[in-house]
Amino acid sequence: MAPVILLCVVALASVAACQLLTAEQLASAVPGHLELDPEFRKLHPNIPGPSEDVDSFIVGGVESTPHSRPYQVGLYIPASTSTNSFCGGTLINARTVVTAAHCVDMRVGNISVFMGAHNMPPGGDLNIVARFAGDVVIHEGWNRAILLHDIALIRFEVAVPLSASIIPILLPRDATHDYLGNTTLVSGWGRPSDSINAISPVLREVTSWVISNYACRMAYLGTVQDSHICISGAHGRGTCQGDSGGPLVINGVLIGVVSFGSAFGCEVGWPSAMARVTSYLDWISQNQATV
């Protein structure tokens, strides 16, 4: 029998509150993405890609110091009765995770949420807290055909116990700040190579900087709107498949949720595009779980 990981809501010690995931299911989760989805290609034929030479992971970056990004969340999302996709997320309070709408809009069951992890799939690290979540709020304006409002919330019935390895991130206070030129940090467990259709075994991160929406719009032929924020892909830096839904951060503040990039590859210099968090502060406030 394959090894299993038991996901339980800690305060509810009941079989109904738990879910068994086999090690095989965890290891075979497909990195979530928009760029290589055939339907995405039909809807957005002008966005660069696809290519046979996709280098799919946090590129131009390094392995994160373990537990140095305590807001980072890993999500296993059931895509069918037998397969899971993988995305990132960000803890914004003890009962709420923010992620990309495209990660959760086609799920067929509850989401396995891991917090406090460095390795993925998660092992026996005592820092890890897991939740099995079905309370998902997708932005009402989300539509794959227009790539707008790619943001969603996952809410827990029971608050997550916070620790040095699990700390919610701060949200912006100034909704008018555009962050142009500011240095950013983005992290995730995107695929480590083309030959392995699996996520990175360790959390990785990369620094870049915010570019103008005008420049980003030129790269993506008009797709980018005011509610997007983009970082430079210069020097082969950026996000890739499996990083979707993860955090774009400046000085410990969440400013973006990873949405899409170029399917030509992650080292070709195209920007990475995110949902701009300052555009959604009211929506987040109205829909997040209270603590």
Side-chain angles (χ1 to χ4, degrees):
M1 179 178 178
V4 297
I5 286 182
L6 186 63
L7 298 180
C8 294
V9 176
V10 176
L12 299 176
S14 65
V15 175
C18 302
Q19 173 71 8
L20 293 176
L21 289 180
T22 67
E24 181 180 0
Q25 287 174 314
L26 291 169
S28 63
V30 177
H33 58 80
L34 278 172
E35 300 90 340
L36 303 184
D37 186 328
E39 291 304 312
F40 177 88
R41 303 303 318 147
K42 292 177 185 177
L43 290 170
H44 305 283
N46 293 324
I47 287 183
S51 167
E52 293 181 356
D53 299 319
V54 177
D55 193 7
S56 306
F57 57 101
I58 284 277
V59 293
V62 297
E63 179 180 348
S64 302
T65 300
H67 311 298
S68 63
R69 310 301 170 202
Y71 48 78
Q72 180 82 43
V73 175
L75 306 174
Y76 287 84
I77 303 119
S80 71
T81 55
S82 59
T83 60
N84 289 274
S85 64
F86 182 88
C87 278
T90 310
L91 190 70
I92 60 171
N93 71 33
R95 292 185 55 211
T96 310
V97 166
V98 63
T99 188
H102 79 260
C103 288
V104 296
D105 64 348
M106 295 185 179
R107 68 188 178 93
V108 296
N110 290 350
I111 300 167
S112 302
V113 184
F114 290 95
M115 292 151 285
H118 178 68
N119 297 98
M120 201 62 67
D125 190 337
L126 296 179
N127 295 287
I128 295 172
V129 172
R131 288 288 187 269
F132 190 53
D135 185 2
V136 177
V137 181
I138 297 172
H139 194 283
E140 57 276 7
W142 164 240
N143 188 322
R144 285 175 182 250
I146 57 175
L147 292 180
L148 280 176
H149 311 309
D150 190 8
I151 189 169
L153 300 177
I154 302 169
R155 304 185 296 200
F156 310 134
E157 182 178 351
V158 177
V160 175
L162 304 182
S163 66
S165 300
I166 303 174
I167 303 173
I169 201 167
L170 298 174
L171 295 179
R173 291 184 177 182
D174 182 1
T176 66
H177 201 329
D178 64 8
Y179 301 103
L180 183 62
N182 285 201
T183 299
T184 61
L185 179 84
V186 64
S187 52
W189 286 279
R191 289 169 56 188
S193 76
D194 267 346
S195 61
I196 302 174
N197 189 27
I199 59 176
S200 170
V202 295
L203 186 67
R204 293 176 59 84
E205 62 187 48
V206 67
T207 57
S208 185
W209 60 90
V210 176
I211 63 172
S212 71
N213 274 26
Y214 175 79
C216 196
R217 192 173 294 119
M218 294 293 288
Y220 290 112
L221 302 175
T223 301
V224 172
Q225 302 299 322
D226 290 346
S227 57
H228 290 105
I229 188 169
C230 300
I231 59 172
S232 173
H235 311 301
R237 300 178 182 183
T239 61
C240 275
Q241 290 78 34
D243 296 321
S244 289
L248 177 69
V249 175
I250 291 179
N251 296 328
V253 176
L254 180 69
I255 66 161
V257 177
V258 177
S259 181
F260 66 92
S262 168
F264 269 135
C266 302
E267 296 180 307
V268 296
W270 263 283
S272 300
M274 288 78 168
R276 184 183 290 269
V277 170
T278 53
S279 296
Y280 300 101
L281 292 176
D282 288 344
W283 182 82
I284 292 171
S285 177
Q286 293 164 9
N287 290 281
Q288 67 185 343
T290 57
V291 291

